[in-house]
């Protein structure tokens, strides 16, 4: 035994080394290996979202333009001063004049820096962060717990949602409403006296024993309330059925406690059934089995008749039963469960490891129809999604007739429409070629019309999501959201653009793989996430429209004024105040706008949508023309209009002038009122609509106005301001209010007529957009990070060998305890069915993959996968060779804090 254990452990060590070697391959190819390897995308999600990538590109472009403008401004000012002083006036550079000349050059440099500071949009990252953080906080109230910030923005572009049925579209409160017992179909719960005593007794035992003992129906917490269902909802529905039949399942469980169960074939998504073997008093065995009706009925050769005695159940009888019982139940949206049993003699004892032979030749006891009512708010939520251009697809493990009935109740499909409702078997037949490989061309023919995928496995769900995302059939790449609650939903949640995990019924693995957690497990919360996602995009666009208008005007004014008058009409400190207004305050004001239902009335933008739309570009240029016209008018004829001294060509240390103060004040007033215009970016006329629903906006606008009064009236020389009279203030405010009137004029101009704006908003051509911005699944990795990962792999290869040696020592040491019995586990052996925290992989060895997201979990997973077989016959999952990978929270799976391996993981 010891030699065998050592050999097994050595083989596993070789496998682990092979896995590490596999991990090294991409690193080599990334540094100049084969071209095919280079094209393979990294499976990890990148941290930078599409919107952040676009904003970064825009900020870099604006920054380069601002740097160029500031450099040109400084060069022109220096040349103008030098030519005018030393060529035209023919002055000589005298040593005593050097300090004065240096002051002039410093002044020119400050003007250049001011132009640069105003041009660079420092507020863009702030606006994005504020908008996302504000949305995340508010989404908590809408039962959306956001784990990744960029998921908010991505959800606004969603074009497809692949949703679970149970618990998401339905209430996840199972109730048996119909039953077929003793050749009679009962449309309501039958009277227990009307049922044969033998059949009733067999039914009670089959349901009570062949269920997780953690599944219970408890009394209601409040008087008049519904009984509480604890554990697996389907099993709770069956246990509730026994209570409705005036039977007590707990009595049966007390007679046959969980420790006495002889063998358990746990439920998984492949067999879609669960079986339990008990040893009877005479030494014989009885197998109880339950599961999907069409699967269990195929294994039944007998059925209990009206007297409670078994009779032959031929294929012809099964077909008739499907037509008369199963299909009518499923057409009403009921999940059909078949309950059966089989007796075995004491000798010879059956080969319990051969499950296919054991779970066969069954006797059908009953078929029940379980109803899971649709949540009352779901149909309206799905209608909103469809109106918003989002296609909702149901992916469920239920019978296709049940799934179709629920889909009709929810409004996912409507009678008479051209849609597809298929099961997993048909789905795979259509998308796979003769070799069994999935072909993208076949998926492209299927997914646009697909609305319901029934009897689907987790692999089918992942294949569908990947097929939709990778499809190039439509011009815009589809943005897919997926809901899931089980451990097996992890791959699909990870692959999706946005993964929604269930907060109540979801496992830790599903939550870890998701981007957003629905704390109420309700589909209507997804609609709110879509609304918030679109609101994030709109908030950034509002801020961008406002800031670019200020940027364009401030840079042109500073540049032109400096070139013409050798001085900027907007001083350095004043520009910094304007920069503060348009960066910090505007991002707070515009990024905190609450969403409205109108956001769901338009189609998704798509990932390739330009940041600046034609309407926004029209607004930016229109308001820029208005502001520049007024400022240059005030600059050159303002002293005559207000009968004040001119501020142009003032000496170096002259006091602040009323002329330039009026220009500065008018400029700020125009920005304040243009901030109100910026609230609407789609050409809406009523810019005041919903303004009082955002108190932050109102406070910032009023607060900015108050601070502006203080700066102008009391700022003095530090702010280069001279106090203004009341009538001058009124003129400044009047010219600012003109922004609102001018905004209405701009809205009246049809955007379609301004042909020169067609490509203006697209700052980069489509082919210039790098792949990493269009593909969210590609992670940005630099060379240093590649080297780090190579180091991590080498470290973990060493750790694997150390762990292998430790396990070898334990294998030898275990021989000391061969004669001792292990203590019985107190946890339910059905737990991984009730709380699906285990991943069941049939005939597939667990090869740990080493990457930066699984560093802490990996050693624990390896220890789990390498445990020796248990002698406990109850644990079928271990006895039958099925690998169980325990998926729990990070703290549970990681090494103990005090261990040296843990410290190595922490340092890595």
């Amino acid at each position: 035994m010891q030699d065998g254990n050592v050999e097994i452990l050595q083989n596993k060590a070789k496998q682990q080394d092979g896995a590490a070697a596999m991990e090294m391959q991409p690193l080599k190819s990334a540094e100049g290996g084969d071209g095919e390897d280079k094209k393979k995308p990294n499976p990890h999600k990148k941290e930078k979202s599409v919107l952040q990538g676009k904003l970064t590109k825009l900020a870099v472009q604006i920054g380069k333009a601002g740097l160029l403008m500031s450099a040109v401004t400084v060069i022109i000012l220096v040349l103008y001063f030098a030519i005018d002083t030393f060529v035209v006036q023919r002055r000589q550079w005298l040593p005593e004049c050097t300090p004065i000349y240096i002051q002039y050059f410093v002044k020119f440099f400050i003007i250049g820096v001011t132009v640069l500071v105003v041009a660079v949009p420092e507020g863009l990252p702030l606006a994005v962060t504020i908008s996302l953080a504000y949305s995340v906080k508010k989404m908590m109230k809408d039962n959306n717990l956001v784990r990744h910030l960029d998921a908010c923005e991505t959800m606004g572009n969603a074009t497809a949602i692949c949703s679970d049925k149970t618990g998401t579209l339905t209430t996840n409160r199972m109730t048996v409403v119909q039953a077929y017992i003793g050749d009679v179909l009962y449309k309501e719960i039958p009277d227990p006296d009307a049922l044969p005593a033998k059949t009733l007794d067999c039914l009670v035992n089959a349901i009570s024993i062949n269920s997780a003992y953690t599944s219970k129906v408890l009394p209601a917490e409040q008087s008049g309330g519904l009984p509480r269902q604890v554990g697996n909802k389907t099993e709770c529905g069956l246990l509730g059925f026994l209570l409705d039949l005036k039977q007590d399942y707990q009595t049966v469980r007390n007679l046959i406690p969980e420790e006495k169960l002889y063998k358990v074939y746990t439920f998984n998504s492949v067999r879609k059934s669960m079986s339990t073997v008990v040893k009877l008093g005479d030494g014989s065995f009885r197998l109880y089995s339950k599961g999907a009706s069409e699967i269990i009925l195929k294994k039944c050769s007998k059925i209990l008749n009206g007297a409670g005695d078994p009779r032959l159940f031929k294929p012809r009888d099964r077909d008739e039963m499907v037509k008369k019982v199963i299909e009518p139940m499923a057409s009403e949206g009921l999940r059909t469960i078949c309950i059966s049993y089989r007796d075995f003699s004491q000798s010879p004892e059956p080969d319990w490891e051969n499950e296919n032979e054991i779970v066969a030749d069954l006797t059908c006891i009953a078929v029940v129809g379980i109803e899971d009512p649709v949540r009352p708010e779901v149909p309206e939520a799905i209608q909103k999604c469809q109106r918003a251009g989002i296609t909702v697809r149901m992916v469920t493990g239920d019978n296709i007739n049940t799934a179709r009935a629920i889909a009709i109740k929810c409004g996912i499909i409507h009678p008479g429409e051209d849609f597809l409702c298929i099961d997993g078997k048909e789905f795979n037949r259509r998308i796979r070629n003769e070799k069994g490989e999935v072909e993208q061309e076949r998926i492209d023919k299927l997914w646009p019309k697909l609305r319901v995928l029934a009897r689907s496995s987790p692999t089918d769900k992942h294949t569908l999501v990947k097929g939709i995302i990778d499809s190039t059939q439509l011009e815009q790449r589809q943005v897919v959201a997926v809901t899931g609650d089980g451990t097996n939903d992890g791959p699909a949640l990870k692959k999706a653009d946005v993964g929604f995990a269930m907060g109540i019924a979801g496992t830790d693995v599903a939550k870890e793989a998701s981007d957003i957690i629905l704390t109420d497990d309700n589909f209507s919360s997804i609609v709110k996430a879509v609304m918030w996602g679109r609101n994030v995009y709109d908030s950034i666009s509002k801020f961008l429209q406002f800031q670019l208008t200020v940027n364009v005007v401030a840079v042109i004014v500073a540049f032109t004024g400096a070139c013409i008058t050798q001085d900027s009409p907007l001083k350095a400190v004043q520009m910094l105040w304007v920069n503060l207004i348009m960066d910090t305050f505007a991002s707070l004001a515009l990024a905190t706008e609450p969403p409205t239902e109108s956001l769901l009335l338009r189609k998704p933008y798509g990932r390739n949508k330009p940041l600046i739309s034609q309407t926004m570009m029209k607004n930016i240029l229109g308001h820029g023309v208005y502001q520049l016209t007024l400022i240059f008018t005030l600059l050159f004829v303002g002293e005559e209009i207000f009968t004040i001294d001119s501020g142009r060509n003032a000496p170096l240390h002259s006091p602040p002038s009323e002329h330039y103060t009026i220009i500065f004040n008018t400029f700020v007033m125009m920005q304040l009122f243009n901030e109100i215009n910026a609230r609407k970016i789609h050409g809406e006329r009523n810019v005041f609509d919903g303004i009082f629903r955002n108190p932050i906006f109102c406070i910032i606008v009023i607060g900015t106005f108050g601070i502006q009064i203080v700066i102008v009236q009391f700022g003095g020389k530090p702010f280069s301001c001279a106090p203004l009279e009341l009538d001058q203030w009124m003129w400044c405010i009047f010219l600012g209010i003109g922004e609102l009137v001018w905004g209405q004029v701009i809205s009246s101009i049809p955007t379609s007529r301004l042909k020169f704006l067609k490509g203006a908003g697209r700052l980069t051509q489509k082919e210039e957009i790098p792949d990493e911005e269009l593909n969210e699944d590609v992670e940005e990795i630099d060379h240093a990070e590649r080297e780090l990962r190579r180091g991590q792999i080498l470290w973990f290869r060493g750790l694997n060998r150390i762990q292998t040696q430790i396990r070898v020592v334990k294998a030898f040491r275990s021989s000391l305890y061969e004669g001792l019995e292990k203590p019985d586990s107190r946890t339910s052996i059905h737990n991984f069915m009730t709380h699906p925290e285990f991943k069941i992989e049939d005939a597939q060895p667990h090869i740990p993959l080493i990457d930066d997201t699984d560093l802490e979990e990996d050693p624990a997973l390896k220890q789990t996968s390498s445990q020796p077989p248990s002698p406990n016959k109850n644990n079928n999952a271990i006895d039958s060779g099925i690998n169980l990978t325990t998926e729990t929270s990070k703290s549970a799976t990681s090494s103990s804090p005090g261990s040296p391996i843990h410290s190595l993981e922490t340092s890595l």
Side-chain angles (χ1 to χ4, degrees):
M1 276 181 61
Q2 292 169 359
D3 292 341
N5 282 338
V6 172
E7 188 177 349
I8 291 169
L9 293 171
Q10 285 175 346
N11 290 335
K12 289 190 176 180
K14 288 178 183 177
Q15 286 181 357
Q16 289 165 352
D17 283 352
M22 286 170 63
E23 284 292 302
M24 292 290 285
Q25 272 316 109
L27 300 178
K28 291 178 183 176
S29 63
E31 294 178 357
D34 297 335
E36 292 179 1
D37 291 334
K38 282 185 180 179
K39 294 179 183 177
K40 289 182 182 178
N42 196 306
H44 301 287
K45 283 189 178 180
K46 67 180 194 121
E47 292 183 2
K48 184 187 283 187
S49 69
V50 178
L51 178 61
Q52 286 172 325
K54 291 179 180 178
L55 288 173
T56 302
K57 183 175 288 294
L58 178 65
V60 168
Q61 290 176 338
I62 295 175
K64 287 178 181 177
L67 184 62
L68 178 65
M69 289 288 285
S70 64
V72 171
T73 303
V74 173
I75 292 169
I76 290 176
L77 286 172
V78 171
L79 289 176
Y80 188 92
F81 174 77
I83 292 171
D84 182 60
T85 305
F86 302 115
V87 177
V88 177
Q89 299 182 21
R90 297 185 178 180
R91 292 183 182 177
Q92 293 183 350
W93 188 299
L94 300 175
E96 56 269 21
C97 296
T98 300
I100 298 173
Y101 295 151
I102 290 175
Q103 287 182 31
Y104 270 106
F105 290 141
V106 169
K107 176 185 174 184
F108 299 153
F109 179 74
I110 289 174
I111 292 173
V113 170
T114 303
V115 172
L116 179 61
V117 168
V118 173
V120 175
E122 305 94 341
L124 274 179
L126 180 66
V128 175
T129 305
I130 288 176
S131 182
L132 290 174
Y134 175 78
S135 299
V136 167
K137 182 182 176 184
K138 293 292 184 182
M139 285 172 76
M140 272 296 294
K141 296 181 180 177
D142 288 337
N143 302 308
N144 284 275
L145 174 60
V146 180
R147 298 182 66 248
H148 301 134
L149 277 179
D150 61 313
C152 296
E153 168 241 323
T154 308
M155 200 58 213
N157 291 327
T159 57
I161 298 175
C162 295
S163 174
D164 279 347
K165 180 183 77 67
T166 306
T168 309
L169 301 176
T170 58
T171 59
N172 197 18
R173 185 176 182 83
M174 300 294 188
T175 309
V176 175
V177 292
Q178 293 186 26
Y180 180 82
I181 305 173
D183 294 335
V184 180
L185 176 60
Y186 297 93
K187 290 286 187 180
E188 295 179 352
I189 302 298
D191 188 349
D193 297 332
L195 300 177
K198 295 180 188 176
T199 305
L200 184 60
D201 182 59
C202 197
L203 182 66
V204 171
N205 283 298
I207 293 176
S208 303
I209 296 170
N210 189 31
S211 297
Y213 278 38
T214 50
S215 296
K216 300 176 182 177
V217 179
L218 302 178
E221 293 180 344
Q222 298 176 353
S223 60
L226 293 172
R228 287 182 294 139
Q229 295 184 343
V230 179
N232 184 279
K233 300 297 181 181
T234 303
E235 293 181 346
C236 288
L238 293 172
L239 295 173
F241 178 52
L242 295 184
L243 296 178
D244 292 338
L245 291 173
K246 308 292 189 295
Q247 305 297 315
D248 185 14
Y249 65 87
Q250 195 57 49
T251 305
V252 178
R253 288 183 173 180
N254 292 337
L255 289 173
I256 306 177
E258 198 169 15
E259 295 78 21
K260 289 188 178 180
L261 299 182
Y262 195 79
K263 184 74 176 176
V264 175
Y265 299 95
T266 56
F267 180 89
N268 73 11
S269 57
V270 177
R271 69 169 79 96
K272 294 195 182 298
S273 64
M274 173 188 178
S275 304
T276 303
V277 179
V278 293
K279 195 167 186 177
L280 302 180
D282 58 358
S284 62
F285 302 96
R286 173 166 285 188
L287 168 85
Y288 293 109
S289 186
K290 74 169 187 292
S293 58
E294 64 267 31
I295 292 176
I296 297 294
L297 282 177
K298 288 179 183 177
K299 300 178 180 180
C300 289
S301 59
K302 298 174 185 176
I303 187 171
L304 296 183
N305 59 20
D309 299 320
R311 65 172 173 83
L312 283 177
F313 187 65
K314 299 177 182 178
R316 186 178 64 249
D317 299 330
R318 182 174 64 242
D319 294 339
E320 187 178 354
M321 186 173 177
V322 168
K323 288 180 182 178
K324 293 186 177 179
V325 178
I326 308 295
E327 289 183 359
M329 283 186 182
S331 64
E332 296 179 30
L334 305 183
R335 176 185 293 180
T336 54
I337 304 290
C338 180
I339 302 163
S340 59
Y341 76 97
R342 180 185 178 184
D343 289 325
F344 296 92
S345 61
Q346 181 179 3
S347 61
E349 185 171 339
D351 179 14
W352 301 114
E353 304 307 320
N354 192 343
E355 184 183 342
N356 291 331
E357 287 187 8
I358 297 296
V359 186
D361 196 22
L362 303 173
T363 301
C364 176
I365 304 170
V367 174
V368 296
I370 301 181
E371 182 182 45
D372 188 8
V374 174
R375 290 178 181 268
E377 63 274 13
V378 163
E380 184 185 357
I382 288 178
Q383 189 179 6
K384 287 180 181 177
C385 283
Q386 293 168 342
R387 201 164 52 226
I390 302 171
T391 303
V392 181
R393 294 178 175 86
M394 180 199 292
V395 184
T396 178
D398 273 355
N399 178 292
I400 188 167
N401 294 319
T402 305
R404 186 188 288 113
I406 295 293
I408 291 173
K409 288 181 182 178
C410 294
I412 293 176
I413 56 178
H414 302 280
E417 285 186 350
D418 185 18
F419 56 78
L420 275 177
C421 295
I422 59 176
D423 59 13
K425 195 176 289 184
E426 175 69 11
F427 175 72
N428 280 285
R429 189 186 66 78
R430 292 197 185 192
I431 66 171
R432 296 181 187 274
N433 58 20
E434 296 77 12
K435 298 179 182 178
E437 298 168 343
V438 177
E439 291 185 353
Q440 184 62 43
E441 295 79 11
R442 292 172 179 250
I443 296 179
D444 287 344
K445 294 178 183 177
L446 184 67
W447 72 259
K449 292 184 179 180
L450 182 64
R451 291 296 179 271
V452 176
L453 181 57
R455 283 283 177 246
S456 66
S457 66
T459 307
D460 296 338
K461 191 172 186 178
H462 179 268
T463 304
L464 175 63
V465 173
K466 184 178 184 299
I468 296 176
I469 290 176
D470 294 345
S471 176
T472 56
Q473 192 172 17
L474 302 180
E475 185 180 350
Q476 294 283 0
R477 202 254 290 172
Q478 294 287 294
V479 179
V480 183
V482 170
T483 67
D485 55 3
T487 300
N488 290 331
D489 290 326
L493 290 170
K494 204 77 174 171
K495 178 63 183 173
D497 295 288
V498 182
F500 286 89
M502 303 297 113
I504 300 172
T507 62
D508 290 336
V509 178
K511 292 175 184 176
E512 193 65 30
S514 67
D515 301 295
I516 299 175
I517 296 174
L518 300 177
T519 56
D520 62 346
D521 291 13
N522 197 335
F523 184 86
S524 62
S525 299
I526 299 177
V527 181
K528 293 173 183 173
V530 172
M531 212 156 63
W532 276 105
R534 294 189 175 187
N535 188 62
V536 166
Y537 209 103
D538 277 12
S539 297
I540 304 302
S541 298
K542 292 170 187 176
F543 171 74
L544 208 54
Q545 175 179 302
F546 173 72
Q547 189 183 45
L548 288 180
T549 306
V550 184
N551 269 9
V552 169
V553 175
V555 170
I556 293 177
V557 167
F559 175 76
T560 309
C563 294
I564 296 175
T565 65
Q566 284 191 295
D567 188 15
S568 172
L570 300 174
K571 308 300 180 184
V573 179
Q574 294 174 353
M575 283 288 214
L576 292 175
W577 165 237
V578 170
N579 207 38
L580 186 65
I581 292 174
M582 71 180 187
D583 279 357
T584 311
F585 293 158
S587 60
L588 272 171
L590 295 172
T592 54
E593 287 273 342
T596 60
E597 291 284 340
S598 60
L599 290 167
L600 298 175
L601 299 179
R602 63 168 188 262
K603 303 297 179 187
Y605 280 141
R607 297 166 66 91
N608 299 336
K609 175 191 177 291
L611 260 180
I612 307 169
S613 65
Q614 293 182 40
T615 305
M616 288 171 61
M617 185 59 73
K618 179 183 72 173
N619 293 339
I620 292 168
L621 295 179
H623 289 293
V625 167
Y626 174 82
Q627 294 181 18
L628 286 171
T629 303
L630 281 182
I631 288 174
F632 283 126
T633 303
L634 291 175
L635 177 61
F636 294 111
V637 295
E639 68 274 18
E640 297 176 6
I641 295 174
F642 293 100
T643 60
I644 51 178
D645 294 333
S646 174
R648 296 191 305 277
N649 301 317
L652 189 64
H653 297 293
S654 57
S657 66
E658 288 183 339
H659 183 198
Y660 276 14
T661 303
I662 289 175
I663 293 174
F664 165 61
N665 200 30
T666 303
F667 180 68
V668 172
M669 290 299 114
M670 286 191 292
Q671 305 319 318
L672 273 181
F673 287 99
N674 191 35
E675 200 166 339
I676 299 174
N677 279 327
R679 294 182 64 250
K680 304 298 177 183
I681 56 173
H682 299 293
E684 300 94 334
R685 286 191 171 276
N686 186 5
V687 294
F688 292 99
D689 181 33
I691 192 170
F692 295 112
R693 290 195 301 114
N694 185 9
I696 297 176
F697 182 90
C698 301
I699 291 169
I700 286 176
V701 170
I702 295 170
T704 306
F705 183 75
I707 296 172
Q708 178 67 15
I709 294 174
V710 173
I711 288 175
V712 170
Q713 296 301 116
F714 307 105
K717 196 163 185 180
F719 284 91
S720 302
C721 289
L724 299 181
E725 302 294 332
L726 182 61
D727 61 327
Q728 293 170 340
W729 266 101
M730 289 298 106
W731 274 107
C732 293
I733 294 173
F734 174 75
L735 294 175
I737 291 175
E739 274 284 358
L740 298 176
V741 180
W742 185 249
Q744 296 300 311
V745 174
I746 294 172
S747 298
S748 302
I749 302 172
T751 309
S752 56
R753 292 199 177 177
L754 305 174
K755 307 227 172 157
F756 66 94
L757 294 179
K758 210 160 195 182
R762 198 178 289 276
L763 297 174
T764 55
Q765 294 180 0
K766 190 172 182 181
E767 57 269 19
E768 291 178 358
I769 298 175
D771 293 337
E772 62 264 37
E773 288 186 16
L774 298 179
N775 188 359
E776 194 175 359
D777 291 337
V778 179
E779 189 179 17
E780 298 175 296
I781 303 176
D782 57 14
H783 293 289
E785 203 168 349
R786 289 194 185 107
E787 293 299 328
L788 175 63
R789 293 197 173 187
R790 177 181 287 108
Q792 289 173 351
I793 290 166
L794 293 174
W795 269 102
F796 270 86
R797 185 184 290 179
L799 286 176
N800 289 340
R801 288 174 177 166
I802 293 171
Q803 288 178 331
T804 301
Q805 293 170 4
I806 292 171
R807 287 196 292 269
V808 170
V809 172
K810 286 182 178 178
F812 282 108
R813 191 179 294 170
S814 65
S815 62
L816 299 174
Y817 305 103
E818 282 181 5
L820 300 178
E821 291 186 2
K822 293 184 179 180
D824 292 335
S825 172
R826 294 189 180 181
T827 58
S828 172
I829 62 174
H830 298 280
N831 270 353
F832 47 75
M833 207 269 305
T834 309
H835 308 285
E837 296 174 358
F838 290 77
K839 185 175 180 182
I840 302 178
E841 301 171 351
D842 290 329
Q844 184 177 356
H846 176 68
I847 300 176
L849 297 179
I850 306 170
D851 58 31
D852 55 349
T853 58
D854 296 322
L855 293 183
E856 291 185 78
E857 296 181 2
D858 204 49
L861 292 177
K862 288 168 191 161
Q863 289 175 0
T864 306
S865 63
S866 62
Q867 287 175 353
S870 168
N872 184 5
K873 288 188 178 182
N874 284 344
N875 199 341
N876 165 68
I878 293 177
D879 286 347
S880 61
I882 299 175
N883 291 319
L884 294 182
T885 303
T886 310
E887 302 275 300
T888 53
S889 63
K890 189 175 267 190
S891 61
T893 55
S894 60
S895 306
S896 60
S899 67
I901 292 176
H902 176 82
S903 62
L904 278 171
E905 291 172 342
T906 308
S907 65
L908 285 173

